[in-house]
Amino acid sequence: MASEYSIQLDKFKNSAHKYIESDVYPHALESFFESMNDWSKFHTLEEVKSWFINKRASSSLIIENISLSQMKGWNIDPETGNISHESGDFFTIHGIRVSSKNREVAATWDQPILEQVGYDGGLLGIIKKNFDGIPHYLCEAKEEPGNYGKSQISPTLQATFANLNQAHGGRKPHFSELFINRNSNSEVAVLFDSWLAEDGGRFHLKRNRGILLKVPEDYNIELPNDNFIWLSLYQIKQLLKEDAWINPHIRGILAHV
């Protein structure tokens, strides 16, 4: 028996299809339909807000400002002043001198800049899965030391290639294998897979791979902890109105839908 979601989606597609001039994103019609109402099978928007507020309040992340000379595992070259990690991975900090005729500042300026080793930052991925025919997106309340509010709602996977290669000596990020093996897994539909630009004012030539995967409704996805949550597209877009709750990587991946 067709669900109310499926019935209403078919009506919407039939009425809107005549206005579509391109099939570049075949899932765009449904994505637009998802955004108009909250079809979530798991949580109301208010419940999601309470969950995230509690996540921020219970954060165990402690950030202490220290001098560069106190950093463990990081080296400062005495001649150049460049900063790098002892593993040779992650990123470096070095100086650049910039000349431009098209900026609001002086024609020439100097600044430090972050350079990802290998330039390509990492994988940013979201898993999409239907529950009773209704699409949901797997997100994580993720702590990062530079986050406003410590925790932000982030993609299913947000990991540099250094993290994926376990250069830090820790475990592999959750769900990383699903994204790494996306093109060899016949059960996975790749809805979006492209390089995304980073902030060129702080990062030197950096980019990240943004990926949106859809798995079948009967595909088993076990959530490793309660930092992960299934959200509707409507909820994600509503949470963009909050004060820096949705991180920029979710915005970048879902911008095309």
Side-chain angles (χ1 to χ4, degrees), residues 9 41 92 151 179 198 209 220 229 245:
L9 175 61
K41 297 288 292 183
T92 63
S151 291
F179 288 92
E198 279 285 352
R209 193 78 182 183
N220 183 39
I229 189 171
W245 283 22

PDB file of all heavy atoms in Angstrom, residues 9 41 92 151 179 198 209 220 229 245:
ATOM      1  N   LEU A   9       4.015  12.785  -3.250  1.00  0.00           N
ATOM      2  CA  LEU A   9       5.183  13.000  -4.108  1.00  0.00           C
ATOM      3  C   LEU A   9       4.812  12.794  -5.571  1.00  0.00           C
ATOM      4  O   LEU A   9       5.211  13.586  -6.442  1.00  0.00           O
ATOM      5  CB  LEU A   9       6.316  12.050  -3.712  1.00  0.00           C
ATOM      6  CG  LEU A   9       7.564  12.077  -4.605  1.00  0.00           C
ATOM      7  CD1 LEU A   9       8.205  13.459  -4.611  1.00  0.00           C
ATOM      8  CD2 LEU A   9       8.580  11.029  -4.127  1.00  0.00           C
ATOM      9  N   LYS A  41      10.377  10.269  10.113  1.00  0.00           N
ATOM     10  CA  LYS A  41       9.787   9.124  10.815  1.00  0.00           C
ATOM     11  C   LYS A  41      10.328   8.987  12.233  1.00  0.00           C
ATOM     12  O   LYS A  41       9.873   8.131  12.989  1.00  0.00           O
ATOM     13  CB  LYS A  41      10.089   7.833  10.044  1.00  0.00           C
ATOM     14  CG  LYS A  41       9.484   7.767   8.665  1.00  0.00           C
ATOM     15  CD  LYS A  41       7.972   7.571   8.716  1.00  0.00           C
ATOM     16  CE  LYS A  41       7.609   6.203   9.258  1.00  0.00           C
ATOM     17  NZ  LYS A  41       6.152   5.969   9.257  1.00  0.00           N
ATOM     18  N   THR A  92      50.547  21.943   6.673  1.00  0.00           N
ATOM     19  CA  THR A  92      51.659  22.812   7.050  1.00  0.00           C
ATOM     20  C   THR A  92      51.154  24.256   7.082  1.00  0.00           C
ATOM     21  O   THR A  92      50.112  24.581   6.498  1.00  0.00           O
ATOM     22  CB  THR A  92      52.832  22.720   6.054  1.00  0.00           C
ATOM     23  OG1 THR A  92      52.391  23.178   4.771  1.00  0.00           O
ATOM     24  CG2 THR A  92      53.339  21.294   5.942  1.00  0.00           C
ATOM     25  N   SER A 151      30.345  21.802  19.139  1.00  0.00           N
ATOM     26  CA  SER A 151      29.719  20.794  18.282  1.00  0.00           C
ATOM     27  C   SER A 151      28.914  21.470  17.185  1.00  0.00           C
ATOM     28  O   SER A 151      28.275  22.502  17.422  1.00  0.00           O
ATOM     29  CB  SER A 151      28.789  19.884  19.090  1.00  0.00           C
ATOM     30  OG  SER A 151      29.509  19.049  19.962  1.00  0.00           O
ATOM     31  N   PHE A 179      32.071   4.879   1.906  1.00  0.00           N
ATOM     32  CA  PHE A 179      32.364   5.955   0.956  1.00  0.00           C
ATOM     33  C   PHE A 179      33.596   5.643   0.117  1.00  0.00           C
ATOM     34  O   PHE A 179      33.624   5.934  -1.083  1.00  0.00           O
ATOM     35  CB  PHE A 179      32.543   7.274   1.711  1.00  0.00           C
ATOM     36  CG  PHE A 179      31.265   7.820   2.259  1.00  0.00           C
ATOM     37  CD1 PHE A 179      30.854   7.515   3.553  1.00  0.00           C
ATOM     38  CD2 PHE A 179      30.446   8.615   1.482  1.00  0.00           C
ATOM     39  CE1 PHE A 179      29.668   7.999   4.058  1.00  0.00           C
ATOM     40  CE2 PHE A 179      29.247   9.117   1.979  1.00  0.00           C
ATOM     41  CZ  PHE A 179      28.856   8.805   3.271  1.00  0.00           C
ATOM     42  N   GLU A 198      37.447  24.920  -0.952  1.00  0.00           N
ATOM     43  CA  GLU A 198      37.543  25.391   0.431  1.00  0.00           C
ATOM     44  C   GLU A 198      37.812  26.896   0.427  1.00  0.00           C
ATOM     45  O   GLU A 198      37.972  27.515  -0.628  1.00  0.00           O
ATOM     46  CB  GLU A 198      38.662  24.637   1.167  1.00  0.00           C
ATOM     47  CG  GLU A 198      38.255  23.266   1.672  1.00  0.00           C
ATOM     48  CD  GLU A 198      37.363  23.326   2.902  1.00  0.00           C
ATOM     49  OE1 GLU A 198      37.175  24.426   3.450  1.00  0.00           O
ATOM     50  OE2 GLU A 198      36.843  22.268   3.303  1.00  0.00           O
ATOM     51  N   ARG A 209      36.403  16.194  -1.231  1.00  0.00           N
ATOM     52  CA  ARG A 209      35.487  15.421  -2.065  1.00  0.00           C
ATOM     53  C   ARG A 209      34.139  15.325  -1.377  1.00  0.00           C
ATOM     54  O   ARG A 209      34.026  14.758  -0.283  1.00  0.00           O
ATOM     55  CB  ARG A 209      36.052  14.014  -2.296  1.00  0.00           C
ATOM     56  CG  ARG A 209      35.335  13.242  -3.402  1.00  0.00           C
ATOM     57  CD  ARG A 209      35.790  13.705  -4.762  1.00  0.00           C
ATOM     58  NE  ARG A 209      35.089  13.021  -5.845  1.00  0.00           N
ATOM     59  CZ  ARG A 209      35.356  13.211  -7.130  1.00  0.00           C
ATOM     60  NH1 ARG A 209      36.314  14.049  -7.469  1.00  0.00           N
ATOM     61  NH2 ARG A 209      34.670  12.586  -8.068  1.00  0.00           N
ATOM     62  N   ASN A 220      21.403  -2.385   6.039  1.00  0.00           N
ATOM     63  CA  ASN A 220      21.579  -2.252   7.492  1.00  0.00           C
ATOM     64  C   ASN A 220      22.610  -1.166   7.818  1.00  0.00           C
ATOM     65  O   ASN A 220      23.775  -1.277   7.454  1.00  0.00           O
ATOM     66  CB  ASN A 220      22.030  -3.588   8.097  1.00  0.00           C
ATOM     67  CG  ASN A 220      22.158  -3.500   9.618  1.00  0.00           C
ATOM     68  OD1 ASN A 220      21.349  -2.855  10.281  1.00  0.00           O
ATOM     69  ND2 ASN A 220      23.173  -4.143  10.164  1.00  0.00           N
ATOM     70  N   ILE A 229      22.343  10.899  13.942  1.00  0.00           N
ATOM     71  CA  ILE A 229      20.894  11.076  13.917  1.00  0.00           C
ATOM     72  C   ILE A 229      20.416  11.130  12.465  1.00  0.00           C
ATOM     73  O   ILE A 229      21.102  11.661  11.597  1.00  0.00           O
ATOM     74  CB  ILE A 229      20.504  12.365  14.673  1.00  0.00           C
ATOM     75  CG1 ILE A 229      18.997  12.457  14.866  1.00  0.00           C
ATOM     76  CG2 ILE A 229      21.059  13.604  13.979  1.00  0.00           C
ATOM     77  CD1 ILE A 229      18.569  13.593  15.797  1.00  0.00           C
ATOM     78  N   TRP A 245      24.577  26.096  13.629  1.00  0.00           N
ATOM     79  CA  TRP A 245      24.349  24.692  13.995  1.00  0.00           C
ATOM     80  C   TRP A 245      24.773  23.744  12.869  1.00  0.00           C
ATOM     81  O   TRP A 245      25.369  22.712  13.127  1.00  0.00           O
ATOM     82  CB  TRP A 245      22.866  24.456  14.310  1.00  0.00           C
ATOM     83  CG  TRP A 245      22.432  24.961  15.647  1.00  0.00           C
ATOM     84  CD1 TRP A 245      23.027  25.916  16.419  1.00  0.00           C
ATOM     85  CD2 TRP A 245      21.271  24.537  16.381  1.00  0.00           C
ATOM     86  NE1 TRP A 245      22.319  26.115  17.574  1.00  0.00           N
ATOM     87  CE2 TRP A 245      21.237  25.282  17.579  1.00  0.00           C
ATOM     88  CE3 TRP A 245      20.260  23.616  16.141  1.00  0.00           C
ATOM     89  CZ2 TRP A 245      20.232  25.117  18.535  1.00  0.00           C
ATOM     90  CZ3 TRP A 245      19.258  23.449  17.082  1.00  0.00           C
ATOM     91  CH2 TRP A 245      19.246  24.196  18.266  1.00  0.00           C
TER      92      TRP A 245
END
